Structures are given as structure tokens and as C-alpha cells.
Amino acid sequence: MRSPLLLLALLALVLTASAMRNGCENAVKDESGNYYCEPAVDTIRYVNISGSGTYQTPSLIDGENTCVDFIDIPYGGPLAPYNEEITVVLRGPLKLRQFAAYSLNITCQQHGNSKRHAPAHEHEHEHEHEHEHEHEHDHEHEHRHHHHARHAHQHLHDKAEKQKRGLGDVVVAEIDGELVSWINTYGGPPAPEPPAPEPPVPSSSSSSLASPPSSPLSSPSAPFSVPPKTDPSGSCEVWDRISYYNSEERVKDGLTFLTHPKFQSGIAYAGPDGITAVEEPTLFDGDLENTEEMFIQTDKTCSEDVGTECPYYKDGDKAYHGYGGIKKAFFFEFMMPDTGSHATVWEMESKYRADNMPAIWSLNSRIMTNQYGCNCHPSGCGEIDFFEIMNPGNHRMKSTIHGKTGFSGGDSHYIQRPTDSYMSAWVVFDGDKMVLKVVDPNTEAPESLTPELLSSILGSYEESTINIEGKLAVFEVAS
């Protein structure tokens, strides 16, 4: 989506559409100024996603949500900075039947010797409260459309606390000349067994000022990095399902539906409609109305306890962890109905209203607190559009990576919008690669990602690095 037109023209002189990367020779410009490679594909593969540098995140915000000061956050290595925790965001008109998230345990990603427990099932109650949310975000280069300004600020602990590198902290180091980062999962040697039980001593420790309240559905003390279970094979090849949602079966397992209340900059639990603020975690009914937005995070709450803190929320937020690591995957079964409103970006009723422009995308979780004020988005902490409609009524879904050099790109290939039936699709992050793949519409989210299933989704990078017309688009990110 972002390839310069001059580059596309030069490539078209020497390559055919079936033997090109990052474009096509027959890209068609629509009335909104966006370019599309025909026909639609069912797989979009990004390779060489690897950035290094710094982005800025607020360290001090005043009562008016104005940035007072920033600090630099370094990042580097495969997928960076998207190896950090990310949040999944949805915009209607959209019907969501299934959602699932998968992860190779962070210890397994680093050392190859363990896996993560999957969380227990949760069935939620329903509540109501009115909410409406609209905003804007513009793509670069040839993407002439209006996209919601999905920005937010975050609460940070002071710099002295950040030096401790406790369990769950992000650690950045230079190894063999390369800047890399990871989440610390080593909390020191296990404590020795006590010689004998003693009478309990009252605790004087205080809870987090910004932690969500306890409820039967979530525990503020539950750590994000849950104790790993042993992988009998020792291969660490199976990715665990850590979140699952099914609207028809009314199951919500290991995830939280959240929203930004109307005219507020905080985070609240989303009600059954996805946008009404309610008082406790609730089951989404699966139907998100036109222009409305909601987002999904894990069920692991943030607190100031070692190993569970989140550096991107403030007092009053219902703050939860996102999905971290360089090996993670999402499964979606969804439909994007056409409401009948069709227009170019120049004819839209309002640039702040994304009418009949459904989308599924993801953001660095640091962005989520304040949609309109201070956040790290402008400095490049990361956004990836998975399935996005660029103007009202369009039936072509594009994808784009937004960030800095090594983490930015997208060409003019697209996936067909599912307007009248459900589509099943995978989004898989595997080191410096990402694959979006449409699969059989009757697919049910499996309990785990086996090596065989993962291979069928990812395909062969070595043997298939060029576009296959009507099937596969390959985008090589510029380093």
C-alpha cells in the first residue's frame, strides 16, 4: 500500500505481476486515490520486519491530558517494537463470531524449554450504558482516507523503579552488536521451603492506585506471566491458545472487552454492545454497530506488584495486559456487512465519522489510555492494520504497517471484504515475519497451534518469496 508509484512503474517494465514483490504492474487507482492490485488475494505475507531505534512516550501528563515531558524507549530486533504488548481493535459495522489469541510462552521463546498455561473459562454477565466514539487517523503516501485517531497516553512509574528490572520488566541490551529487548521472566532462585508454619503477620503493603477492582471474573493479583508447564517433547513447538471468544456459544476465555467512554480519555469495561461503559467484565454480543469501536486485551490485570505492572494506564482505568512476544497469533471469524453508504473520501459526510468503513487492527498497548491526547503513536511505537476498509462502502480490505524504518510498509494488494457471510482468517507473527491468511469459513479456532498447522499458515518463505496472482502477495519491509 505504500510503495512509491515510481518504483512500481520501474518494476512493471521488467517483471510480470506474478513475479514481483511489493506491488503489481496493473495497479488500479480508485476514485478516492487509493491503488489496488487486482484480483484479490487470500494471503498477504510481510518479511524482514525488524526495526531499531527509540520512540517517545509521555512521562508526565497534567490534569488536562497535556504532555509535559517525554522519555525515550529503545527497541531493536525482529518485530520490534511490536514484540511489545499489543491490543486488538475493532470498528463496525462488524459481526464477530470467533476470536482467539495464541502465544509461545515467553520463557519458551527465549530458552526453548517450557510453555504457558491456558487461562480458565469465563462466562460473563451483561450490563448497559450509552456510549459513542468517533475520531480520525490518516495514512501516509497513496492512502487517501480517514481513519480513527487511535491514540492514548500512559501512566509510567518513575525512572528509579524502571531500573530494577523485576519479573515482567522489558529488558534492553546490546548482544553481538545488535540491540534486542525481551520481557524478564526470571525472578531469582526459588525461595527455600519454610521449616514450619508460623502464625500469620498482618500485611502493611498497599494495592495499586490504578488497578481494576476485584471481581469474580478477574483478580488484580494474577500475574501476566503465569507459571509455565513442562513441554514433554522439549521442543517448544506448540503455541498455546491463551484467549478465546465465541459469540454463539457465549464463551469468553482469557480476554477482556474494553471501550473508551464518550468524551473521556480513560478505559472502561465494554457492555454487550461493545461501546457502553459498564462496571465489570462483560460478554460482548458479537455485533458492533456502524462507526463504533471497541478493543480486546487479555484478562491479566495491571497493578504495581512486581511482574504485573503496565506502563500505559492511569488512575481509574480498567487496565489489562496486551499480547506480547515475537511469536503470537490471532484467529478471527467475522463479517463486515455493507450498510449501503458508498462515497469517496472526498464525499464523506464527516472526516471524523468512519461510516461503513469497518476495520480490524492492532496498536502498541501503550497507546490505549488517551485516544485524543498524549501517547507514543506519533513517534513510532507501532500500529498494524490487518483488515481495513479505506472509504465508505469499499469491498477491498487492505493491510498496512505503521512505524519507522524497518517497521513500516504495505502495498496495493487486498483481501475481499466479507459482506454477507463469515470469513475465517489468521494473523500470525513469527519473528520478523507476519502472515494474514484467509482459510475455510467453517474453521473453528483450535486449542493450540501445532507445527503442522503453523506451517500450513506461514507457508515456505524460502521457496515462495514472490507474488502469486490471485493467491499470495509478499511485501518485503525496507530495513
Side-chain angles (χ1 to χ4, degrees):
M1 289 188 286
R2 293 180 168 214
S3 296
L5 298 182
L6 177 59
L7 175 60
L8 291 180
L10 292 174
L11 288 173
L13 294 175
V14 294
L15 297 174
T16 66
S18 63
M20 292 178 59
R21 299 180 184 181
N22 297 5
C24 61
E25 67 175 359
N26 58 343
V28 177
K29 184 178 181 179
D30 73 358
E31 294 179 347
S32 291
N34 292 310
Y35 282 80
Y36 295 94
C37 292
E38 299 288 356
V41 297
D42 58 25
T43 304
I44 299 178
R45 178 184 298 155
Y46 291 85
V47 297
N48 195 36
I49 307 173
S50 182
S52 63
T54 61
Y55 62 81
Q56 287 193 324
T57 195
S59 59
L60 181 61
I61 303 172
D62 70 11
E64 299 298 324
N65 293 322
T66 301
C67 295
V68 176
D69 197 9
F70 289 86
I71 59 173
D72 290 332
I73 304 296
Y75 64 88
L79 201 60
Y82 236 53
N83 55 336
E84 299 176 14
E85 291 180 21
I86 65 175
T87 296
V88 174
V89 192
L90 311 174
R91 182 173 68 224
L94 186 144
K95 296 180 181 295
L96 183 67
R97 181 178 178 270
Q98 286 187 93
F99 167 81
Y102 300 79
S103 177
L104 191 64
N105 178 265
I106 191 65
T107 303
C108 200
Q109 294 186 45
Q110 294 172 14
H111 306 295
N113 58 5
S114 64
K115 304 200 295 135
R116 173 182 305 186
H117 278 298
H121 279 274
E122 297 172 3
H123 295 266
E124 310 293 358
H125 303 289
E126 302 179 0
H127 297 277
E128 262 187 63
H129 193 284
E130 186 177 1
H131 165 66
E132 182 177 349
H133 188 62
E134 301 166 359
H135 50 34
E136 171 195 5
H137 176 66
D138 292 327
H139 280 247
E140 300 173 356
H141 301 287
E142 295 305 316
H143 290 188
R144 310 194 197 296
H145 77 299
H146 296 284
H147 196 0
H148 283 196
R150 312 154 306 194
H151 305 330
H153 87 264
Q154 57 274 0
H155 170 78
L156 295 174
H157 301 299
D158 64 38
K159 297 179 181 178
E161 287 294 319
K162 286 299 177 185
Q163 300 301 319
K164 290 184 178 180
R165 292 188 179 180
L167 183 66
D169 286 351
V170 175
V171 181
V172 179
E174 184 174 337
I175 300 177
D176 294 331
E178 181 180 6
L179 187 65
V180 297
S181 62
W182 65 90
I183 299 175
N184 181 34
T185 58
Y186 179 68
E193 196 70 28
E198 297 182 1
V201 179
S203 173
S204 60
S205 61
S206 60
S207 62
S208 166
L209 295 175
S211 297
S214 297
S215 77
L217 303 174
S218 65
S219 170
S221 61
F224 176 64
S225 298
V226 297
K229 60 185 177 183
T230 302
D231 181 356
S233 68
S235 66
C236 272
E237 292 180 339
V238 175
W239 297 19
D240 290 320
R241 190 175 75 188
I242 59 174
S243 298
Y244 180 64
Y245 163 76
N246 188 307
S247 61
E248 293 182 359
E249 297 178 3
R250 300 189 61 75
V251 173
K252 185 176 83 70
D253 174 357
L255 60 99
T256 309
F257 293 109
L258 298 159
T259 186
H260 293 285
K262 186 177 181 180
F263 305 128
Q264 297 181 28
S265 61
I267 301 174
Y269 296 125
D273 60 2
I275 49 93
T276 298
V278 296
E279 295 300 319
E280 63 181 14
T282 302
L283 181 71
F284 173 48
D285 65 15
D287 196 349
L288 192 60
E289 293 297 324
N290 185 27
T291 77
E292 303 291 5
E293 294 183 9
M294 63 179 294
F295 54 99
I296 303 173
Q297 294 183 327
T298 71
D299 64 346
K300 305 306 177 192
T301 56
C302 302
S303 77
E304 291 182 356
D305 298 331
V306 172
T308 64
E309 66 272 36
C310 298
Y312 45 79
Y313 71 104
K314 62 181 184 297
D315 291 356
D317 282 342
K318 307 304 181 185
Y320 286 78
H321 282 274
Y323 297 94
I326 64 172
K327 291 180 180 289
K328 54 197 171 194
F330 302 103
F331 176 83
F332 301 93
E333 185 182 11
F334 66 98
M335 186 192 309
M336 294 178 170
D338 188 340
T339 64
S341 174
H342 295 180
T344 69
V345 294
W346 323 114
E347 299 167 333
M348 291 173 61
E349 180 180 348
S350 170
K351 66 179 182 179
Y352 299 107
R353 180 177 172 84
D355 182 25
N356 201 8
M357 294 171 61
I360 300 175
W361 71 96
S362 57
L363 296 168
N364 188 310
S365 290
R366 292 177 181 270
I367 296 172
M368 300 315 299
T369 301
N370 186 345
Q371 288 285 77
Y372 298 101
C374 305
N375 58 79
C376 61
H377 188 283
S379 63
C381 63
E383 170 187 344
I384 298 182
D385 302 320
F386 301 147
F387 310 103
E388 179 184 22
I389 299 302
M390 310 290 283
N391 62 282
N394 203 321
H395 284 195
R396 293 167 288 199
M397 301 185 299
K398 281 194 174 183
S399 67
T400 309
I401 300 176
H402 298 277
K404 295 182 177 180
T405 301
F407 188 80
S408 181
D411 67 6
S412 296
H413 290 92
Y414 70 94
I415 293 172
Q416 191 70 30
R417 172 179 174 178
T419 58
D420 54 8
S421 61
Y422 282 99
M423 170 184 287
S424 296
W426 286 96
V427 178
V428 178
F429 296 92
D430 182 25
D432 66 349
K433 304 171 183 67
M434 180 185 75
V435 171
L436 293 78
K437 185 177 182 64
V438 178
V439 293
D440 188 294
N442 298 315
T443 300
E444 297 290 327
E447 293 188 359
S448 62
L449 266 175
T450 63
E452 295 76 18
L453 177 55
L454 195 59
S455 177
S456 71
I457 298 169
L458 295 174
S460 172
Y461 298 115
E462 293 75 16
E463 298 176 1
S464 183
T465 59
I466 59 175
N467 297 340
I468 301 175
E469 187 172 346
K471 293 292 184 181
L472 169 68
V474 180
F475 188 92
E476 186 170 4
V477 180
S479 58

